[in-house]
Amino acid sequence: AWGGIYKKEDYTDIHHHLPSMYSFVYYLNSPKGNSPIVFPDSNWTHFPQENELLFFPSHLNHYVPSHEGDDRIILAGNFEFMSERDLNRSTNNI
């Protein structure tokens, strides 16, 4: 997980979060009029609101265009799932 603050004119280039399975963004502060998160391959644009949690498959390309509003504060991260066999292997090696 990581945090971020989007200030005026900040943006994020198109990217994905492979090899993770799922990703999330939690919008701690997302003032009205902020830039959206854009998923171009899905033809979906989302304008997040404060205290919103967005989950999506990590393979989806996404970006944030140049930010023109007040500071947006996010917490983002990725999820990995392990099988019981993999979990047993990793705990046996500790």
Side-chain angles (χ1 to χ4, degrees):
W2 58 94
I5 299 174
Y6 285 83
K7 297 196 174 286
K8 189 172 177 80
E9 298 182 4
D10 285 350
Y11 63 93
T12 303
D13 288 328
I14 193 165
H15 65 284
H16 57 73
H17 293 264
L18 289 175
S20 296
M21 294 179 74
Y22 294 98
S23 299
F24 71 89
V25 183
Y26 175 65
Y27 297 90
L28 287 91
N29 186 42
S30 187
K32 199 171 199 168
N34 277 337
S35 298
I37 183 169
V38 180
F39 296 86
D41 300 336
S42 304
N43 199 28
W44 187 53
T45 299
H46 179 69
F47 290 87
Q49 297 183 24
E50 190 167 317
N51 291 322
E52 181 176 54
L53 179 61
L54 178 64
F55 280 96
F56 54 93
S58 295
H59 72 274
L60 293 178
N61 287 318
H62 57 284
Y63 68 93
V64 177
S66 182
H67 180 72
E68 299 303 325
D70 293 334
D71 291 358
R72 177 193 300 187
I73 303 170
I74 63 147
L75 176 64
N78 298 316
F79 284 98
E80 304 269 342
F81 293 99
M82 298 175 73
S83 69
E84 185 174 340
R85 184 183 73 184
D86 292 337
L87 185 58
N88 288 334
R89 273 191 207 153
S90 67
T91 55
N92 287 336
N93 293 327
I94 297 177

